[in-house]
């Protein structure tokens, strides 16, 4: 049962994170529609059900830096129609990703990360730097923080005085953003990593070159953050693609597309930093060579009938590999159902981590070279260990 819970949790976390553009064929795309998720009855129920998740969410959205930035820019995250995170050459990036503060940051320099935000509200390039400068020049610590520090005898008064005058970001770190470059319909600003987070300077990442591109039309503004090459490619795709005009509106609130590579999976499994008891180890042992024949994992999530509907597609190179994966998945699901029925037979009053009703709603289908997984979950079934008692 524990392994099944971990598997479902991994799927949900992945799908939580809709751009059709990709910098390369091996790129992974994670997209979310905040305006359809945040404030929805299902999401509100999730926040009420899970104390820890609700606390974490409120800590982020009520952070005074984020609140002030949204007010200054005139945009709201909850009104964003798209938030996408795109990782170019995904698996290779994950293999080389630094795992410590002294890690291989050159791997990040060579990687391709693009963040896209599409939201209501018009932010013109002419006023962007003025608004950003006003926000960045604001206090790093609000009045309540300073008052709390003064009550703490462990902090020297001089240090508190300095903290009370400290700006969010030193102006010399983002001064290069003052000049924008007009390319097509988009405006491009140089964005040093230190303007995003000062800690990047200490991590040896200050040499990473990124830009912020923005394009406004009517009451919508689209932001793209990443390398200059990728930001320009994204806006070029935006302004010349007719895909958005031909595709019907989707009811999905989230999408995921992750390409897989058997050889890179073998490298990850053989890496000395890998946990032999981690998900890839037992997964490869159980599925055999079939796990290395997976070409892509994609999925969508939507709300319907008071439940979250999660659809995951595992695309393989051949029918035989898909058949093997489906067989193992079907057998594992059957064993989990049988285990719960045995527990309930021994003690009908006992509460199991996952209900038999939830397991009965999981559907696995084998369709040629694809394995399709459909999961329906009530808020209390998403993370049963986090439900308020």
């Amino acid at each position: 049962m524990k392994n099944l819970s971990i598997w479902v949790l991994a799927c949900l976390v992945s799908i939580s994170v809709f751009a059709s553009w990709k910098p390369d064929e091996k790129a992974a795309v994670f997209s979310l529609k905040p305006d359809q998720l945040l404030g929805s009855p299902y999401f509100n129920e999730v926040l009420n059900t899970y104390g820890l998740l609700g606390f974490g969410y409120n800590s982020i959205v009520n952070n005074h830096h984020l609140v002030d930035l949204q007010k200054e820019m005139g945009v709201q995250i909850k009104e964003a129609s798209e938030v996408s995170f795109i990782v170019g050459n995904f698996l290779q990036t994950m293999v080389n990703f630094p795992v410590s503060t002294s890690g291989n940051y050159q791997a990040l320099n060579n990687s391709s990360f693009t963040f896209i935000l599409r939201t209501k509200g018009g932010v013109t390039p002419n006023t962007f730097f003025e608004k950003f400068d006003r926000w960045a020049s604001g206090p790093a610590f609000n009045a309540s923080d300073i008052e709390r520090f003064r009550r703490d005898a462990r902090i020297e008064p001089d240090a508190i005085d300095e903290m009370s005058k400290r700006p969010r970001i030193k102006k010399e770190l983002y001064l290069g953003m003052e000049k924008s470059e007009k390319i097509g319909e988009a405006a491009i600003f140089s964005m040093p990593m230190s303007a995003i987070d000062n800690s990047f300077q200490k991590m040896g990442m200050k040499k990473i070159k990124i830009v912020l591109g923005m394009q406004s039309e009517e009451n919508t503004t689209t932001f793209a953050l990443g390398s200059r090459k990728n930001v320009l490619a994204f806006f070029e795709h935006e302004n010349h693609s007719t895909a958005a005009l031909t595709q019907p509106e989707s009811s999905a609130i989230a999408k995921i597309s992750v390409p897989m590579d058997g050889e890179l999976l073998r490298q990850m499994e053989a890496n000395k930093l890998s946990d032999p008891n981690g998900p890839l180890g037992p997964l490869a042992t159980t599925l055999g060579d079939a796990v290395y024949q997976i070409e892509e994992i994609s999925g969508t999530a939507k709300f319907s009938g008071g439940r979250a509907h999660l659809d995951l597609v595992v695309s393989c190179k051949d029918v035989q590999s898909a058949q093997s994966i489906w067989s193992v998945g079907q057998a594992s699901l059957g064993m989990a159902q049988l285990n719960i029925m045995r527990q309930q037979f021994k003690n009908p009053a006992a509460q199991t981590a996952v209900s038999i009703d939830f397991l009965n709603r999981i559907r696995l289908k084998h369709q040629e070279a694809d394995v399709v997984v459909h999961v329906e979950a009530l808020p209390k079934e998403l993370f049963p260990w986090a439900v308020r008692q």
Side-chain angles (χ1 to χ4, degrees):
M1 286 307 304
K2 182 179 179 181
N3 290 336
L4 179 64
S5 298
I6 293 174
W7 176 82
V8 173
L9 173 62
C11 292
L12 294 175
V13 170
S14 298
I15 294 178
S16 307
V17 277
F18 284 76
S20 59
W21 171 82
K22 296 198 298 184
D24 56 75
E25 290 303 315
K26 296 182 179 180
V29 180
F30 307 88
S31 292
L32 178 69
K33 293 181 178 179
D35 59 346
Q36 294 189 22
L37 173 65
L38 307 180
S40 66
Y42 191 96
F43 187 74
N44 288 334
E45 178 62 25
V46 167
L47 296 183
N48 291 330
T49 302
Y50 312 130
L52 184 60
L53 295 181
F55 174 79
Y57 170 76
N58 288 318
S59 298
I60 294 173
V61 298
N62 294 326
N63 178 277
H64 71 277
H65 298 303
L66 180 60
V67 171
D68 290 348
L69 180 61
Q70 292 180 89
K71 288 180 179 178
E72 193 65 65
M73 291 297 170
V75 299
Q76 295 290 321
I77 295 297
K78 64 182 180 181
E79 294 181 345
S81 58
E82 177 191 343
V83 173
S84 291
F85 184 56
I86 303 169
V87 185
N89 201 9
F90 179 71
L91 281 183
Q92 188 68 60
T93 298
M94 292 300 101
V95 169
N96 296 325
F97 200 81
V99 295
S100 69
T101 54
S102 59
N104 178 22
Y105 289 105
Q106 184 58 39
L108 291 180
N109 279 306
N110 298 333
S111 298
S112 170
F113 298 91
T114 308
F115 178 80
I116 297 167
L117 171 66
R118 201 186 311 270
T119 184
K120 291 181 181 178
V123 182
T124 64
N126 295 336
T127 62
F128 173 76
F129 179 79
E130 177 186 348
K131 292 181 177 181
F132 183 86
D133 179 46
R134 196 155 48 225
W135 172 81
S137 301
F141 301 94
N142 58 27
S144 61
D145 290 332
I146 297 299
E147 183 61 31
R148 188 175 71 254
F149 296 151
R150 294 193 187 282
R151 294 196 300 266
D152 190 337
R154 294 172 298 178
I155 305 178
E156 295 293 331
D158 290 346
I160 297 176
D161 290 339
E162 187 278 328
M163 293 165 67
S164 67
K165 301 173 184 177
R166 187 184 305 172
R168 288 189 175 100
I169 306 174
K170 294 180 179 180
K171 193 160 187 173
E172 59 264 27
L173 296 178
Y174 64 86
L175 195 57
M177 294 172 56
E178 188 170 6
K179 295 181 180 179
S180 65
E181 181 182 359
K182 184 74 172 178
I183 300 180
E185 299 296 322
I188 307 297
F189 297 83
S190 295
M191 175 74 76
M193 293 294 287
S194 54
I196 300 175
D197 193 319
N198 289 334
S199 61
F200 287 140
Q201 287 239 121
K202 303 175 183 178
M203 295 164 59
M205 296 167 61
K206 60 182 179 180
K207 294 182 179 179
I208 296 179
K209 304 295 183 182
I210 61 173
V211 301
L212 173 68
M214 57 180 298
Q215 182 172 305
S216 297
E217 46 190 353
E218 296 181 356
N219 194 37
T220 299
T221 302
T222 301
F223 298 92
L225 181 69
S227 70
R228 180 183 177 89
K229 176 183 176 182
N230 285 349
V231 169
L232 293 180
F234 166 73
F235 281 114
E236 182 178 4
H237 176 272
E238 280 281 288
N239 296 325
H240 292 88
S241 176
T242 58
L245 300 177
T246 58
Q247 292 181 357
E249 179 68 20
S250 172
S251 60
I253 60 165
K255 285 187 178 182
I256 176 179
S257 173
V258 180
M260 306 300 288
D261 185 302
E263 291 306 313
L264 284 177
L265 286 178
R266 292 181 191 275
Q267 288 183 34
M268 292 174 68
E269 188 180 22
N271 191 303
K272 62 182 180 180
L273 296 175
S274 297
D275 180 3
N277 298 316
L280 191 58
L283 188 64
T285 302
T286 304
L287 298 177
D289 191 61
V291 71
Y292 304 112
Q293 306 306 313
I294 299 175
E295 292 187 321
E296 182 185 45
I297 298 176
S298 59
T300 61
K302 66 178 182 180
F303 298 144
S304 179
R307 292 192 176 106
H309 292 248
L310 311 171
D311 291 284
L312 195 68
V313 179
V314 180
S315 301
C316 302
K317 291 182 179 179
D318 52 67
V319 175
Q320 291 78 12
S321 299
Q323 175 71 45
S324 298
I325 293 173
W326 175 84
S327 298
V328 171
Q330 195 69 45
S332 299
L333 178 60
M335 291 176 64
Q337 292 169 324
L338 182 60
N339 185 41
I340 286 185
M341 288 190 289
R342 284 175 175 170
Q343 293 182 48
Q344 292 181 338
F345 180 76
K346 292 179 180 179
N347 182 7
Q351 290 193 359
T352 55
V354 180
S355 69
I356 189 66
D357 182 54
F358 170 72
L359 293 179
N360 288 339
R361 293 196 301 269
I362 298 177
R363 296 285 183 269
L364 290 88
K365 293 183 180 179
H366 172 219
Q367 299 177 343
E368 297 183 346
D370 293 340
V371 178
V372 181
V373 184
H374 178 77
V375 179
E376 297 180 18
L378 295 168
K380 65 180 180 180
E381 294 170 332
L382 285 175
F383 305 103
W385 45 267
V387 174
R388 296 179 189 269
Q389 300 299 319

